[in-house]
Amino acid sequence: MKAYTRLINYGFTILSIIILFLASGCGVTRGIRKDQTIVRKITLKGIDKQYTLAAVNYVDKEQQPNNWLNLQFYYTFSNHGKRDIGEAPRILDSSLVEFSRLQIERFLRLKGYLKAKVTNEVVVKKQKAELIFIANEGPLFHIRKVQDSIQDEKLRAIYRANRLKFSHIQPGKPFDQDSLNYDRDQIYQLMRHNGYYDFSRQYITFEPDSSFSSSIADVKMIIDNPPGKKEHSQFHINNTLITIYKSSGRLGRNNPTDTIQVDSQFRFVDYSHKFKPLAVTNYIFQHKGDMYDVESQNLTTSRLSELNVFRNVPNPSYTKTPDSTNRLNSKIEIVPLKHMTDRIEGEFIFNDGRYGFNVGNTFTDRNLFKGAEILQVKLNWSVLFDNSDSNLGTSAIQNQDARLGVSLIYPRIISPFNFPTLGKYGVPHTTFSSTFQLFFQKGLVSRKSFINSLTYDWAETTQKLHTLTPINIEYSEGVIDANAKAQLEASNRYSYVYLIGRKIFTSGSQYTYQFNSNKLYTLSNFNYFRGTIDVGGNTLYLLSSLLNTPRDSLGQRTIFGQTFAQYVKLETDFRVYKHIEGERILVFRINPGIGLPYGNSSQMIFEKNFYVGGANDIRAWLPRTLGPGLFSRSTYGTGEAADKLRNSLKYLDQFGEIKIVGNIEYRYSIISNFFGSKLNGAVFTDFGNIWRYNNNQNINGAFDFSKIFQSTAIGIGTGLRFDLSFFVFRLDAAFKLKDPQFEGSEQWVLTKHANELFRAGSFKENYRNTYGDNYSFMQLNFGIGLPF
């Protein structure tokens, strides 16, 4: 396995070197004829700084310099353009340069520089061209006065009542064509929002009256009436026909169905025979007699899509009634997803002699009770092997984790109380779930747990999401290996015996609030926040106090003969996304948390403690192998007995009640076309740790503010993201820079022992002798999706 480790390490290093070599720009002119010139640089002069980046986009795409790496991939892998990989070289073309000059000049005039003139120069050296565009912008024209001319009185009243809410055309502002286009679109949407189904943008014109001598412009906005009419017509909703096809998209003529008249508005035809009418009508926001509203139309399409039971939900179509009542009949035609699906997933974990796998199977039954309910059955099995001592087969299994989960999701709020349909900003859900888990740690413990919960989630706005779990009942039980128990007790580690071997249950509630989760995959500037509070045991404590139930040997109250936990746990995740330009973005994240046992508990439930490491926080460490604080696993001592104890507690003794994790990640584009995907990159720094309240069983593991930097771990790394549109495959290589388990300057392991990064040495040998384990500077993380 060590040979495989070195192979993967060397492979990743070679891949990085290849990418860096290709990115170096060597041979940018290879592959072109001697009479051709490749465009390598664009220079803009005389253009206001706020418009420089936008002006570059008006240079024809075929005259914009290649991304060096894209170009090298084209030369290396495309076979002279026969394969769609990378970018073909951008060859200088005088006609396209002239076209680009005119486009930049037009762009400046649209921005209010009505007298703008642009000239160009081309500088060629060694078959490499620099395009220079020189602008004489002239004065910036400003708006002096804004008027309107609208013959339709109703339409004029609507416009004047709302203009100040959206208009970018204001006296004193630059005369900008983009502002005119923006106002035209906003007026169009406003009228479609107020019943004007037939209204189009062509009815709207702007007449500017410019004075070139004083650089000012008066703007008149005109809305014409339809030809031959005195006013625009407002429409109202009449009848709606809902048609559901088979999942194949066919009508199912060999399987006829009846048309159901649901009420005075809805008629329902279901060729799939899988749906009740209410599954669809609950999320149609256009009702008979309502004024036509394009927002209600779009809302209907969005919510029906979000039910996750339909494959294709086009916008409703409309036909006017044959009379003169200005009513609209609508049709909604949708195709369902397959009723039942099964998905198998897996991942592989590898790190310095330890490897493992995680396989899962998810069965989904969409539309279980014909009301768009979703049943999911998930089976997951994780195994971690330890072959550091050349063990083979089942004897090499370090731990196993098996889970069976069942969840039933309703697309509405199910409650004794009469809640309205909260679907304006998203489909609300009620989820009933049960999970059974079996965990086995070799030579130490086997644990089983059973969790049942009821959860509601709904959207207050497009930005604000709420998740409430009013009922969460958990039961867990651990059985410690007899030899391990004796060894723990002999070393006075009673806390571990109590924590991982006890039988306990609790009931609690959880609440999570999220802000801006809808922007997580956008290229924009925004802040994201997620806050969670988890409270357990209060109801049981009150009940046991009222009933005066007996206490156990430790003085803790019991109910139904079982000890229960009482605690509160808080966690937040705050991120700042800063879009720099193009596809470059900088992300800062801080993720603190704290758990407090109280009342009937002196310690947190084992499963409720925090741990760090893994692919989504401090990536240079495996999960559960960092902290708490300055704790070092060398405190178990040396010798065979110490190594056995240390090995038994592996992945179980590094937890804490306090967590602070931070990440800084810079993301950027590498290759726009990499074998059918986009190849993006990232460099990152991860920092943080977990801590205990006190040094109980974890020497130097307690939180001490004066030692917070000393006890903070720091990892650095780089990664590749293969964006396939429907998902992102991620490969990160993270390196331990500062390891708090060591003392003083020895914590800076990467700088102190860089010569042992990919080979053995005295540091790794000493670590092996002291800790009975191998030390790995680098951790490879394979994952699906972005880390945060």
Side-chain angles (χ1 to χ4, degrees), residues 429 431 454-460 464-470 509-514 530-533:
H429 298 98
T431 303
L454 166 65
T455 300
Y456 300 107
D457 63 77
W458 70 96
E460 179 186 348
K464 300 177 182 179
L465 301 180
H466 303 268
T467 302
L468 174 65
T469 303
S509 301
Q510 300 166 2
Y511 170 73
T512 298
Y513 171 78
Q514 292 187 77
R530 177 178 58 82
T532 300
I533 179 170

Side-chain angles (χ1 to χ4, degrees), residues 562-581:
Q562 299 292 333
T563 304
F564 60 89
Q566 197 171 4
Y567 66 91
V568 59
K569 182 179 178 181
L570 304 170
E571 185 176 5
T572 62
D573 184 347
F574 178 74
R575 310 174 201 170
V576 177
Y577 291 79
K578 177 65 176 178
H579 180 225
I580 299 173
E581 64 174 335

Side-chain angles (χ1 to χ4, degrees), residues 621 625-634 654 689 699-700 707 709-713 736-750 752-753 762-764 766-768 770-771 773-777:
W621 279 262
T625 62
L626 173 62
L630 296 168
F631 171 68
S632 171
R633 302 190 84 235
S634 64
Q654 295 184 275
N689 206 338
I699 299 172
N700 296 324
K707 297 180 179 180
F709 179 74
Q710 184 182 352
S711 59
T712 294
K736 296 181 178 70
L737 176 63
K738 180 177 179 291
D739 192 338
Q741 68 175 311
F742 303 113
E743 296 182 357
S745 63
E746 289 297 319
Q747 290 189 341
W748 299 93
V749 291
L750 189 60
K752 292 278 290 186
H753 308 288
S762 59
F763 170 75
K764 289 184 177 180
N766 291 334
Y767 187 88
R768 175 70 179 175
T770 303
Y771 293 81
D773 205 351
N774 295 322
Y775 191 84
S776 176
F777 288 92

